[in-house]
Amino acid sequence: MEEKKVRNIIDGTVIDHIKPNCAMKVLSVLRDIDHECIIVCINTDSKKHGRKDLIKIENKFLEEQEYNELALISPDATINIIKNGKRVSKEKVKTPKHIKGIGKCNNPRCVTNCQNMETEFDVISIKPTVLRCSYCESTAEYKG
Amino acid sequence: MELKHFISINDLKKEDIDFFLKKAGSMLELLESKKSVNICRGKILATLFFEASTRTRLSFECAMHRLGGSVIGFADAGSSSVSKGESIADTIRTVESYSDIIVMRNPFEGAAKVAANNCSVPIINAGDGGHEHPTQTLLDLFTINKKKKSLSNLTIGLCGDLKFGRTVHSLAKALSEFKGNTMICIAPHELQFPEGIRKKIEDTGTKIIQTDNLKKAIARLDVLYVTRIQKERFVSEKEYLRLKGIYVVDRKMLEKANKDLIVMHPLPRVDEINPEVDRDSRCVYFQQAFYGVPMRMALLSVMLKCEK
Ligand SMILES: [Zn+2]
């Protein structure tokens, strides 16, 4: 019933069902939001999960990289697109199988840590999110 | 058989391994016949050793010369532009225009894949840190097959550093593709197989027995593969000194072994094999090193599409 606690947005995105206490982490991966109106709820009640975080951002629509990072941080999050004050779509994020340019490999001997290059990982499990480096093949849990 | 790049032993299916064993066998026959071979005449191999490994480099260079091709390259990063901070991708993009195939060794894990992503000519990984060294695995398999006439139904002892030892991981994985093998993993508890690798191998139906007692295990073995305990893997000097001399293959040890056992080692050795047994016909490690040449001839000729 969060709609009653905080105001609605006209055009933009509502990211709902974010893992509790992860909203700030999610905000940190969203780009070009410095001048937008952002409403953040942390540890609000959720019908499904007990507690959840929620973010509403005016005039913001996620790009692929942001979407992928959100899915890694909070695999159960849902994305609602709002246009003219109406919700035009609602979908649960899908965790990508392969990600590029997100995160750093934990292996200090990994080539990605000594060359100026993008990291790449295969997502080998969700909950917990475990990534395997496409170069050195070492695996580690994604901590955001 | 087509192989664009050879980065990991996982690039090969079992049939591909069988193919290369056969191909290396015919290369060995060619070598033994002393006939000159010109299969790769006019082709240039570049050997890029960002980290020194004289043995592996010479083996590749020898193989290319035996095939009638030529070789360019550098033996360690100190003498090249790499020491001035040039990226792997830039080095590769330059060298690919000078050569038809590139062999690379680099201390960073995953470096071979970076090279392959930036290269239009074939890349062979001659070791990328603790990650992969697939041509070593192929020559190990070739040696076992040559000496035991099979890669199945063998009892293979893997001895030494099984925790960090890359060659042993790749070899064990490759051998588990063949039916009926038993692996006896001989190492102190601290240096036993990582759980993940052990599971993967057992999932193939290969039996694994773990022990820390070489003396007891040696009588059961068809193959004893000894590896060096590497100093750089240890945090404390004391721990290294405690474990490094724990297994020594010497005359007394071999008295307990089968007369048709073969003793292998990827070389260089430190003191895990006493030179007093070098003349024992069961000790095949120098021959194993030599078998790297026909195996690399097979790889070079196939990847250069220079087969007869
Ligand atoms: Zn890595």
Side-chain angles (χ1 to χ4, degrees):
Chain A
M1 292 289 127
E2 64 282 341
E3 310 298 336
K4 284 177 189 164
K5 288 183 200 162
V6 291
R7 82 166 178 87
N8 293 332
I9 56 172
I10 314 293
D11 284 293
T13 303
V14 176
I15 308 173
D16 199 355
H17 302 107
I18 301 171
K19 212 192 307 176
N21 283 309
C22 287
M24 297 317 277
K25 211 184 271 176
V26 172
L27 277 179
S28 74
V29 302
L30 301 181
R31 272 156 279 177
D32 299 325
I33 53 172
D34 295 359
H35 303 290
E36 302 305 339
C37 170
I38 304 173
I39 299 158
V40 181
C41 291
I42 293 177
N43 273 325
T44 184
D45 293 324
S46 156
K47 276 181 229 149
K48 274 192 234 158
H49 300 98
R51 301 252 153 201
K52 67 176 186 183
D53 287 6
L54 171 94
I55 300 173
K56 299 184 178 193
I57 313 174
E58 201 83 62
N59 299 318
K60 169 73 185 173
F61 302 96
L62 300 198
E63 277 160 32
E64 193 187 345
Q65 191 84 333
E66 297 169 317
Y67 180 98
N68 286 345
E69 266 183 278
L70 166 64
L72 291 175
I73 296 167
S74 183
D76 288 324
T78 52
I79 294 181
N80 303 272
I81 306 290
I82 313 293
K83 294 222 164 121
N84 281 325
K86 286 205 181 85
R87 184 167 77 194
V88 295
S89 77
K90 174 182 180 174
E91 58 166 353
K92 194 173 166 236
V93 294
K94 282 186 231 52
T95 308
K97 289 199 169 68
H98 188 84
I99 51 168
K100 229 176 156 170
I102 297 174
K104 193 173 161 294
C105 180
N106 275 340
N107 174 4
R109 295 176 308 277
C110 177
V111 68
T112 60
N113 288 320
C114 80
Q115 300 278 309
N116 183 14
M117 62 184 285
E118 268 191 335
T119 55
E120 274 184 64
F121 298 94
D122 289 319
V123 181
I124 57 172
S125 98
I126 311 171
K127 294 188 200 172
T129 307
V130 178
L131 306 180
R132 181 177 54 218
C133 175
S134 304
Y135 290 91
C136 73
E137 296 179 284
S138 65
T139 58
E141 197 175 321
Y142 179 81
K143 295 257 161 62
Chain B
M1 163 79 208
E2 245 188 73
L3 184 60
K4 172 72 186 163
H5 302 295
F6 189 29
I7 305 303
S8 157
I9 193 70
N10 301 326
D11 295 342
L12 302 183
K13 296 191 285 288
K14 184 175 170 291
E15 306 88 84
D16 303 330
I17 292 177
D18 286 331
F19 170 85
F20 277 114
L21 293 174
K22 227 173 134 196
K23 190 92 194 156
S26 54
M27 289 297 177
L28 180 62
E29 275 172 35
L30 272 177
L31 282 175
E32 283 169 343
S33 74
K34 307 273 179 202
K35 273 188 225 143
S36 75
V37 186
N38 279 312
I39 303 172
C40 294
R41 177 183 229 144
K43 299 287 183 183
I44 297 177
L45 160 70
T47 54
L48 310 186
F49 278 63
F50 294 82
E51 171 187 65
S53 172
T54 313
R55 194 175 310 272
T56 304
R57 185 174 53 86
L58 290 181
S59 174
F60 270 109
E61 295 188 355
C62 172
M64 191 56 173
H65 286 301
R66 293 285 192 207
L67 289 166
S70 340
V71 181
I72 58 172
F74 55 84
D76 67 87
S79 60
S80 69
S81 60
V82 181
S83 58
K84 300 181 193 90
E86 187 179 55
S87 72
I88 294 171
D90 283 5
T91 306
I92 293 293
R93 283 191 204 111
T94 311
V95 173
E96 69 174 350
S97 60
Y98 304 155
S99 57
D100 302 292
I101 189 163
I102 296 174
V103 170
M104 182 178 96
R105 189 185 189 97
N106 189 287
F108 287 99
E109 297 174 16
K113 187 169 178 180
V114 175
N117 287 349
N118 289 287
C119 196
S120 58
V121 304
I123 290 267
I124 299 178
N125 182 6
D128 54 349
H131 183 225
E132 286 273 351
H133 187 12
T135 62
Q136 178 73 45
T137 309
L138 278 185
L139 77 90
D140 290 343
L141 292 172
F142 182 64
T143 306
I144 297 172
N145 191 47
K146 195 85 192 126
K147 294 290 172 188
K148 307 308 281 183
K149 307 281 175 255
S150 169
L151 289 171
S152 308
N153 303 313
L154 296 170
T155 302
I156 301 133
L158 304 168
C159 177
D161 176 3
L162 308 186
K163 187 176 179 190
F164 301 107
R166 155 191 73 188
T167 50
V168 146
H169 296 167
S170 307
L171 178 63
K173 263 191 267 169
L175 280 169
S176 67
E177 298 274 318
F178 295 83
K179 290 249 151 33
N181 288 324
T182 300
M183 283 175 208
I184 304 191
C185 301
I186 307 154
H189 178 71
E190 306 84 318
L191 294 177
Q192 270 293 354
F193 260 156
E195 197 65 7
I197 292 186
R198 202 197 55 170
K199 262 213 186 92
K200 243 185 220 165
I201 290 168
E202 280 179 331
D203 285 348
T204 65
T206 302
K207 207 173 152 197
I208 287 197
I209 300 167
Q210 294 185 316
T211 173
D212 61 359
N213 195 329
L214 173 61
K215 234 180 261 174
K216 271 195 190 149
I218 198 166
R220 301 179 54 184
L221 302 178
D222 301 308
V223 177
L224 173 60
Y225 196 98
V226 185
T227 61
R228 189 159 53 98
I229 291 179
Q230 283 176 295
K231 192 175 178 180
E232 51 273 30
R233 303 293 185 204
F234 289 89
V235 188
S236 96
E237 173 95 11
K238 211 172 128 197
E239 185 75 352
Y240 166 69
L241 291 173
R242 185 172 72 79
L243 293 173
K244 85 170 177 135
I246 189 165
Y247 302 115
V248 178
V249 177
D250 55 14
R251 213 175 273 150
K252 211 168 149 220
M253 182 66 82
L254 285 184
E255 278 170 14
K256 297 176 183 68
N258 280 325
K259 62 177 188 320
D260 57 357
L261 168 79
I262 57 168
V263 180
M264 297 171 64
H265 191 296
L267 301 178
R269 64 177 153 184
V270 186
D271 41 21
E272 56 280 0
I273 299 181
N274 189 323
E276 71 182 14
V277 300
D278 287 356
R279 287 178 189 283
D280 190 311
S281 61
R282 292 172 288 186
C283 294
V284 301
Y285 28 87
F286 290 114
Q287 213 167 358
Q288 176 190 355
F290 164 66
Y291 284 157
V293 175
M295 182 48 85
R296 285 165 179 138
M297 287 169 76
L299 276 165
L300 290 169
S301 67
V302 169
M303 293 176 76
L304 282 167
K305 301 193 168 74
C306 288
E307 295 164 88
K308 278 186 300 183

